């Protein structure tokens, strides 16, 4: 209120803008949600505060600030359920923990069921989730119609609706708030967040990174964490190893704002399209990857067309709205749609990547796990099944179905 009377001239910056020091115990490459959360949990859980987060652009300017903000924990395998449900539980208390309103809105996450095969799979998933201690349910066609009144419920629709899988704790969170909340809390604990600082090379001695070459000069380090999503292969190449990661554009778009007309998050597996409405009133829409590999943060028009036609098929009334904005991020896709967490072939380099189209929902868990790995040198118990070595031993954690959209 005081600032409102003072022309907003007295606000303190939310985090410090330090210059790069000559040495840090831990350097984290990538100032997205996972990098910032890692820095925060390093300081909070392990007392390691001589830490820098190095970001080539602005924090949250990668996928964290470009995603469609959906959170849920409806994964199949026990190791995934433990990971994603930890993330959701940490998000549920994050506003208090970070003293920053992340605008968690648990409005319910719904995957439509269009045929009997999908009904069978949904039953299978709900049972697995119950075994894993995560709640989820199937609702019938009438209930879907009541909850989503604008949905095309015609029996002659190309993809008729028989019911839906529903996770009531699922919903949305304001993405920028997650980046800013972790940044402010980490900065308050002594972490240096250095923006506009690109990592250009890594210097190694005896299979350890000793120095990081950046656009703001070189910095020596004890341990290095990387959380650079679609650029993971680029940094791995600098470190001298390869990752089973391909980088693709994933697009999203919003309509012009309208009053609150669509309360839940709804996904149609038939088309891969999903839609929710922001607190500002825009309808947020996303769907499939652009299937060629790319580092360009823009996508093709045919994906936009596919998304829009599918949205209009699901919600004919939305045809009246105008498309206001569209954008893309570069996501890190791995063969089993599960993250890669923990040690790498380079002794003091630890990794957090491979979240593909669904890593926003996992940020608190991804940060907790990478922080543990950096502080102790060994994988976190919840991260053990997600090590890079699984691609050699062929113990994949195939969450292709739970990743939500067709890869
Ligand atoms: C359109 C879209 C929709 C999505 N929707 C959802 C969703 O609804 N729910 C969900 O859970 N997930 C979603 N995702 C996925 C989610 O956004 C990502 O998995 C998650 O944000 C990854 O976070 P991150 O911190 O690993 O990566 P990022 O946020 O991308 O951060 C990585 C950072 O590394 C920096 N970097 C890269 N190279 C260098 C370098 N050489 N030097 C220094 N810094 C570097 C980048 O600039 C970037 O800021 C979506 C993604 C997109 C693109």
């Amino acid at each position: 209120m005081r600032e409102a009377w003072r022309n907003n001239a007295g606000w303190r910056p939310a985090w410090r803008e330090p210059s790069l020091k000559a040495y840090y115990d831990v350097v984290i490459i990538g100032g997205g949600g996972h990098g910032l959360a890692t820095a925060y949990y390093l300081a909070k859980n392990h007392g390691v505060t001589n830490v820098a987060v190095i970001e080539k652009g602005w924090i949250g300017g990668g996928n964290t600030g470009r995603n469609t903000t959906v959170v849920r924990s409806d994964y199949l395998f026990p190791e995934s359920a433990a990971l994603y449900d930890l993330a959701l539980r940490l998000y549920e208390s994050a506003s208090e923990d970070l003293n920053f309103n992340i605008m968690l809105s648990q409005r319910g996450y719904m995957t439509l069921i269009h045929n009997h095969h999908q009904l069978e799979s949904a039953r299978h998933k709900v049972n697995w989730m119950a075994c894993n201690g995560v709640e989820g349910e199937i609702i019938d066609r009438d209930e879907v119609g009541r909850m989503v009144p604008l949905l095309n419920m015609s029996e002659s629709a190309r993809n008729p609706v028989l019911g839906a899988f529903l996770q009531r704790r699922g919903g949305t969170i304001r993405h920028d708030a997650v980046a800013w909340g972790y940044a402010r809390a980490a900065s308050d604990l002594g972490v240096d967040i250095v923006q506009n600082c690109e990592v250009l090379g890594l210097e190694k001695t005896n299979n350890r990174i000793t120095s990081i070459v950046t656009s703001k000069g070189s910095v020596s380090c004890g341990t290095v964490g990387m959380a650079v999503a679609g650029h993971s292969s680029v940094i791995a190449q600098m470190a001298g190893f390869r990752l089973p990661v391909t980088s693709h554009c994933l697009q999203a778009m919003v309509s012009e704002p309208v009053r609150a007309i669509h309360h839940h998050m709804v996904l149609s597996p038939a088309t891969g399209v999903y839609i929710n409405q922001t607190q500002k009133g825009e309808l947020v829409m996303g769907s499939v990857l652009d299937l060629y590999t790319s580092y360009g943060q823009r996508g093709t028009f045919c994906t936009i067309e596919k998304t829009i036609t599918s949205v209009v098929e699901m919600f004919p009334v939305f045809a009246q709205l105008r498309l206001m904005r569209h954008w893309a991020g570069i996501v890190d896709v791995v063969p089993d749609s599960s993250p890669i967490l923990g040690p790498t072939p380079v002794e003091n380099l630890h990794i957090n990547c491979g979240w593909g189209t669904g890593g926003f929902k996992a940020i608190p868990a991804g940060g907790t796990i990478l922080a543990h790995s950096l502080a102790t040198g060994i994988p976190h118990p919840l991260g053990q099944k997600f090590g890079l070595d699984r691609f050699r031993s062929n113990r994949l954690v195939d969450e292709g179905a739970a990743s939500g959209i067709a890869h």
Side-chain angles (χ1 to χ4, degrees):
M1 283 177 68
R2 195 171 60 226
E3 285 310 316
W5 291 106
R6 295 200 309 190
N7 238 351
N8 288 308
W11 291 106
R12 274 184 300 124
W15 54 86
R16 294 173 295 109
E17 292 271 358
S19 32
L20 203 58
K21 290 195 299 212
Y23 172 84
Y24 290 95
D25 293 333
V26 181
V27 172
I28 297 161
I29 308 172
H34 284 275
L36 293 164
T38 302
Y40 171 67
Y41 292 119
L42 261 175
K44 184 188 167 209
N45 297 351
H46 303 278
V48 182
T49 55
N50 186 21
V51 176
V53 177
I54 296 185
E55 165 54 49
K56 76 171 174 183
W58 65 96
I59 58 165
N63 295 335
T64 298
R66 292 165 188 267
N67 78 81
T68 44
T69 74
V70 178
V71 294
R72 58 187 169 86
S73 64
D74 58 328
Y75 283 68
L76 198 63
F77 292 104
E79 51 270 42
S80 316
L83 181 72
Y84 288 97
D85 209 54
L86 169 68
L88 190 50
R89 278 182 278 118
L90 287 171
Y91 264 145
E92 282 168 345
S93 56
S95 291
E96 206 177 320
D97 184 30
L98 303 174
N99 188 24
F100 200 100
N101 184 5
I102 62 164
M103 297 170 73
L104 168 67
S105 164
Q106 290 178 297
R107 58 183 74 178
Y109 167 84
M110 198 183 279
T111 306
L112 299 176
I113 296 170
H114 297 298
N115 56 48
H116 290 281
H117 300 295
Q118 288 172 4
L119 182 57
E120 273 306 300
S121 313
R123 285 191 181 127
H124 182 225
K125 179 162 107 169
V126 167
N127 288 337
W128 263 106
M129 287 174 62
C131 294
N132 294 331
V134 181
E135 85 308 329
E137 64 197 91
I138 293 174
I139 54 172
D140 65 17
R141 184 184 145 76
D142 293 343
E143 183 67 12
V144 176
R146 269 193 297 276
M147 289 176 75
V148 195
L150 297 177
L151 185 64
N152 180 2
M153 297 297 289
S154 160
E155 283 174 17
S156 61
R158 185 162 68 104
N159 297 301
V161 176
L162 306 189
F165 163 83
L166 176 67
Q167 187 179 26
R168 294 187 190 268
R169 279 167 67 225
T172 59
I173 294 176
R174 168 114 173 117
H175 48 16
D176 292 326
V178 170
W180 298 337
Y182 276 116
R184 189 178 74 166
S187 176
D188 284 350
L189 293 174
V191 170
D192 283 358
I193 295 165
V194 187
Q195 303 185 84
N196 298 312
C197 180
E198 182 171 2
V199 171
L200 302 171
L202 302 171
E203 286 172 5
K204 285 198 303 182
T205 313
N206 296 333
N207 197 32
R208 289 181 69 81
I209 296 169
T210 47
S211 177
I212 300 176
V213 183
T214 79
S215 53
K216 291 192 170 175
S218 290
V219 53
S220 309
C221 54
T223 316
V224 184
M226 65 179 251
V228 293
H231 286 86
S232 299
S233 307
V234 178
I235 301 291
Q237 193 177 20
M238 291 178 193
F241 65 95
R242 295 186 68 196
L243 286 172
V245 171
T246 48
S247 298
H248 294 262
C249 273
L250 179 64
Q251 300 193 55
M253 54 214 79
V254 287
S255 73
E256 60 187 321
V258 286
R259 73 179 176 85
I261 50 172
H262 178 61
H263 186 60
H264 305 285
M265 157 65 214
V266 179
L267 179 142
S268 163
T271 56
V273 165
Y274 59 96
I275 179 163
N276 63 70
Q277 188 173 19
T278 67
Q279 276 94 343
K280 286 188 288 181
E282 301 155 352
L283 291 163
V284 184
M285 298 161 275
S287 70
V288 292
L289 290 169
D290 282 25
L291 282 175
Y292 56 90
T293 52
S294 169
Y295 289 114
Q297 281 183 329
R298 51 173 295 181
T300 50
F301 285 106
C302 58
T303 304
I304 302 172
E305 186 182 21
K306 178 185 155 36
T307 309
I308 296 299
T309 48
S310 302
V311 165
V312 171
E313 196 179 324
M314 285 162 72
F315 296 92
V317 69
F318 292 168
Q320 297 172 38
L321 297 175
R322 280 169 296 184
L323 187 66
M324 189 167 74
R325 211 168 59 238
H326 81 98
W327 64 90
I330 311 161
V331 295
D332 38 348
V333 176
V334 294
D336 61 355
S337 303
S338 283
I340 305 176
L341 301 169
T344 69
V346 176
E347 236 174 73
N348 61 341
L349 174 63
H350 298 254
I351 195 171
N352 167 329
C353 75
W355 297 102
T357 56
F360 176 69
K361 66 176 78 63
I363 282 172
T368 301
I369 288 171
L370 182 59
H372 181 279
S373 190
L374 287 164
T376 64
I378 50 170
H380 187 285
L382 290 184
Q384 274 164 4
K385 294 273 175 66
F386 298 101
L388 183 54
D389 55 347
R390 76 177 186 272
F391 296 97
R392 274 193 207 289
S393 58
N394 207 19
R395 285 195 296 269
L396 303 185
V397 188
D398 190 348
E399 288 287 1
S403 66
I405 61 172
H407 279 185

